[in-house]
Amino acid sequence: MAQLAEEAGKAAAVFLQPHAINPTRFTQPDDFAPAFRILAQLQQAWLQQPHKVLEAQVALWISCFDLWHSSMRRFMGLENGHARPLTVSLPQDPRFKHPAWSENPYFDLLRQSYLITSHWAEALVDMAEGLDPPTRAKARFYMKQLVNAVAPSNWVFTNPELLHATFASDGENLVRGMQLLAEDIERGSGHLKIRQTDATQFEVGKNLAITPGKVIFRNDLIELIQYAPTTEKVLKRPLLIVPPWINKYYILDLSPEKSFVKWAVDQGQTVFMISWVNPTKALASRSFEDYMREGILEALDAVEQATGERAIHALGYCVGGTLLAATLAYLAATGGSRVKSATFLTTQVDFSQAGDLTIFIDEDQVAAIERDMARHGYFEGHKMAAAFNLLRSNDLIWPYVVDVYMKGQTPLPLDLLYWNADSTRIPAANHSFYLRRCYINNDLSQGRLQIGGVTLDLSKVTIPIYHLAAREDHIAPARSVCLGAQVLGGPVRFVVAGSGHIAGVVNPPARNRYQYWTGGPPAGELETWLAAAEEHGGSWWPDWQAWSEAQDRRRVPAREIGGGKLTPIEDAPGRYVRVKS
């Protein structure tokens, strides 16, 4: 206990030091205001229907009384441990998988009390009248965060595994956990950067992002990587990949066995990858339009110089796809014809059904984000990471709080979680534009968005499109992706992959996981399309490659990096991707 107190003091000092130097680093009222406002609206709705609240309260009392009666009989040995539970954990809920949660009457009482109360709390949100759908969704989200936080599995004296570990090690697990907590606060410069993997086992350029290539072009916003060919002949039409700038590009170039880039190169693709800068305050004014001009358009110029080809296939992932769609509409309006085919991976262009992220996006919250960005010049990477983690807090927050900071265990080395924690900043002007014009106003799909004085009309994008949605995606919901695909004016091959926003995309054929569905063009509701679609086992990557080759089957001798016109600057993965937030 003395060691624990000492380590706790060190953790507190690490937390307070950067805040003492710069008091503005303390949590701003804006961080909690949305939750307080929504929960106040929920409370007001309850006050308007006291009879329903009373009914729910009585139902809770009855359930608690039944549980107490059943537990007392069990404590007295009258049911021999075989009492039928009044409530059960979901099979996929790992919090209560330890046998003691059901076999020990004390922990079984805790578990069932928590489940009964949490179901009651969540039901109060669903039964509240007078809440519009967005407010109800936010209330459900914030209530879920409270419910997840108070789970007995999260605390030492109410978790049988933690109790056993603590007594077996004389509390050494808690001391070690407090040391790890201090390290993670220091690593986050005063903010807790939850340790989700063993970061010491990974290094970009050493065992991540190691597909051979060279940086052949650099400006203030991007580095452009060209990858070395592995086949004697390659497809005539080169491939330019536009990744999201809210994360780093190497999600598509993880370890070699998971790398989409390596796999595409091995199929005969000449692959170019945009690596976005991790911006400082000096780039605060860089806008969505700048990302189009200095990002995609200058990259297209460089690809043409390196290959001599004007006919290019472009691929956009997530918000990179949104920018690519806007660029294609801009090119269609201005007579540009270099991009002859395109791929969108989990990309939204219609934000009317934008899913869970809308919890954090409304007029008040965006205004608060803009006030914060005005101080820094950018949206901080750790805040974006925190938002994504909160969407799946029982997967990405609380298991690591328990395992790392209470059990004192270093998590397993997982490359995907290392990438997930390697956050990036976003320029203030770009982020504000994206949140307001896409999420709040939905201007892109409605034909109201202007860039450089040009009104963008996605129906004028008539090139062939491969459009991938992920069925369990909570970032770019498949329903939203399907709606957006219907706005485009050309032939669209719509495909739905199994799993979510990352695993649905990063699904190499060799692993033979998940599945994908193909059918006709996207039309109507996603559920209707899926009902008529054909299911295929395994990865969608070969289906995409076959579609890509069908656009232009011609092959040419493998290309030299830079094509003799652009001098390689340095080896891949380049400089920008190594910058930490």
Side-chain angles (χ1 to χ4, degrees):
M1 293 302 297
Q3 284 183 282
L4 179 61
E6 180 182 350
E7 295 300 333
K10 292 178 182 178
V14 169
F15 169 74
L16 291 172
Q17 182 179 13
H19 299 288
I21 296 171
N22 181 9
T24 62
R25 291 184 61 86
F26 271 112
T27 299
Q28 303 293 322
D30 286 336
D31 293 341
F32 293 110
F36 291 150
R37 184 173 62 252
I38 292 297
L39 294 177
Q41 289 180 257
L42 178 62
Q43 182 183 37
Q44 186 63 33
W46 290 338
L47 292 175
Q48 300 299 318
Q49 43 185 332
H51 60 289
K52 283 197 171 185
V53 176
L54 180 60
E55 290 174 4
Q57 190 69 45
V58 169
L60 175 64
W61 289 336
I62 291 173
S63 296
C64 289
F65 178 80
D66 289 343
L67 174 60
W68 183 257
H69 180 261
S70 173
S71 297
M72 287 301 99
R73 289 178 58 84
R74 191 172 176 190
F75 276 118
M76 291 185 291
L78 299 178
E79 294 188 351
N80 300 317
H82 299 296
R84 183 177 63 85
L86 300 175
T87 183
V88 296
S89 310
L90 294 175
Q92 66 270 28
D93 189 343
R95 295 175 297 176
F96 305 112
K97 65 181 180 181
H98 192 279
W101 285 113
S102 55
E103 294 174 1
N104 183 290
Y106 167 72
F107 291 112
D108 181 57
L109 174 62
L110 280 176
R111 177 184 65 86
Q112 292 202 66
S113 296
Y114 166 73
L115 291 174
I116 288 171
T117 307
S118 62
H119 295 162
W120 165 79
E122 292 169 2
L124 281 179
V125 178
D126 293 331
M127 68 187 291
E129 297 176 354
L131 297 178
D132 58 71
T135 301
R136 190 182 303 277
K138 292 173 184 176
R140 191 179 291 119
F141 171 79
Y142 289 122
M143 184 64 76
K144 188 71 173 177
Q145 300 310 309
L146 293 173
V147 165
N148 290 346
V150 300
S153 55
N154 296 337
W155 311 100
V156 173
F157 290 104
T158 54
N159 183 323
E161 287 184 274
L162 292 178
L163 274 174
H164 180 270
T166 300
F167 283 107
S169 68
D170 288 335
E172 184 180 353
N173 59 306
L174 298 180
V175 174
R176 173 61 180 157
M178 193 60 66
Q179 292 170 341
L180 295 174
L181 178 66
E183 290 176 11
D184 290 350
I185 294 174
E186 185 174 20
R187 190 164 54 93
S189 300
H191 300 282
L192 176 59
K193 194 169 185 178
I194 293 178
R195 186 182 306 232
Q196 298 172 324
T197 186
D198 184 357
T200 63
Q201 301 300 308
F202 299 103
E203 184 179 346
V204 173
K206 295 293 185 181
N207 55 2
L208 297 173
I210 61 173
T211 302
K214 303 281 187 182
V215 175
I216 61 169
F217 174 80
R218 176 186 292 142
N219 62 24
D220 287 346
L221 290 184
I222 70 166
E223 290 180 330
L224 184 67
I225 301 168
Q226 181 179 358
Y227 292 95
T230 59
T231 56
E232 291 186 4
K233 290 197 171 184
V234 296
L235 288 169
K236 190 173 189 298
R237 186 175 295 180
L239 171 67
L240 171 64
I241 299 179
V242 185
W245 54 83
I246 60 176
N247 308 105
K248 294 185 176 178
Y249 83 82
Y250 65 88
I251 185 60
L252 295 174
D253 189 25
L254 290 168
S255 55
E257 62 272 14
K258 297 179 185 176
S259 172
F260 176 81
V261 168
K262 181 182 184 301
W263 185 88
V265 169
D266 290 344
Q267 309 311 305
Q269 300 275 1
T270 302
V271 179
F272 295 81
M273 174 72 75
I274 288 177
S275 175
W276 299 103
V277 71
N278 198 346
T280 62
K281 191 171 186 176
L283 296 176
S285 63
R286 285 301 206 277
S287 65
F288 196 82
E289 180 178 344
D290 292 326
Y291 268 58
M292 180 189 78
R293 295 188 184 280
E294 298 179 46
I296 294 179
L297 295 184
E298 290 195 15
L300 288 172
D301 290 338
V303 171
E304 183 177 349
Q305 284 184 272
T307 64
E309 299 289 341
R310 282 193 61 82
I312 293 170
H313 181 86
L315 181 154
Y317 186 7
C318 187
V319 67
T322 306
L323 178 66
L324 176 60
T327 304
L328 294 177
Y330 178 84
L331 292 173
T334 57
S337 59
R338 284 183 291 182
V339 180
K340 297 298 185 182
S341 54
T343 295
F344 295 125
L345 305 181
T346 60
T347 292
Q348 295 181 99
V349 296
D350 185 309
F351 290 80
S352 60
Q353 302 288 333
D356 291 347
L357 275 180
T358 57
I359 297 293
F360 306 108
I361 303 171
D362 55 37
E363 180 59 41
D364 290 337
Q365 293 187 81
V366 169
I369 290 171
E370 290 171 336
R371 289 193 294 271
D372 183 64
M373 291 193 299
R375 291 190 290 268
H376 303 289
Y378 49 77
F379 187 66
E380 296 180 277
H382 74 87
K383 293 189 175 182
M384 180 68 73
F388 284 128
N389 287 342
L390 280 172
L391 293 177
R392 295 172 54 202
S393 60
N394 271 349
D395 295 322
L396 296 176
I397 295 179
W398 293 112
Y400 299 101
V401 169
V402 171
D403 290 345
V404 177
Y405 307 130
M406 296 186 189
K407 292 184 182 177
Q409 299 173 349
T410 299
L412 295 173
L414 297 173
D415 52 5
L416 184 58
L417 290 176
Y418 177 86
W419 167 85
N420 187 59
D422 193 6
S423 58
T424 62
R425 299 176 289 264
I426 308 172
N430 181 356
H431 199 49
S432 178
F433 182 96
Y434 177 59
L435 294 180
R436 288 192 174 279
R437 303 304 299 277
C438 292
Y439 271 95
I440 292 182
N441 296 342
N442 197 23
D443 287 337
L444 181 57
S445 69
Q446 300 301 312
R448 295 189 296 259
L449 191 65
Q450 286 192 347
I451 290 184
V454 176
T455 301
L456 306 185
D457 183 352
L458 292 174
S459 68
K460 302 298 183 184
V461 178
T462 57
I463 62 174
I465 300 288
Y466 189 99
H467 220 305
L468 180 82
R471 192 163 187 174
E472 299 169 24
D473 196 338
H474 62 288
I475 304 297
R479 174 182 290 183
S480 179
V481 174
C482 183
L483 285 175
Q486 298 174 41
V487 178
L488 299 166
V492 176
R493 179 169 179 78
F494 185 65
V495 178
V496 175
S499 195
H501 193 71
I502 303 300
V505 172
V506 184
N507 183 24
R511 303 182 75 185
N512 196 31
R513 297 182 65 186
Y514 310 123
Q515 69 277 86
Y516 66 96
W517 291 263
T518 60
E525 293 294 327
L526 173 68
E527 292 74 15
T528 304
W529 185 91
L530 281 171
E534 180 181 359
E535 182 177 341
H536 309 269
S539 172
W540 58 271
W541 291 9
D543 181 76
W544 170 82
Q545 176 66 19
W547 176 89
S548 177
E549 292 186 16
Q551 307 313 306
D552 189 340
R553 298 187 183 279
R554 293 175 293 173
R555 292 187 179 246
V556 298
R559 299 176 171 105
E560 172 192 0
I561 291 181
K565 295 186 178 181
L566 293 176
T567 303
I569 300 170
E570 62 178 285
D571 289 338
R575 182 183 309 168
Y576 285 177
V577 74
R578 300 178 192 270
V579 177
K580 298 293 184 180
S581 295

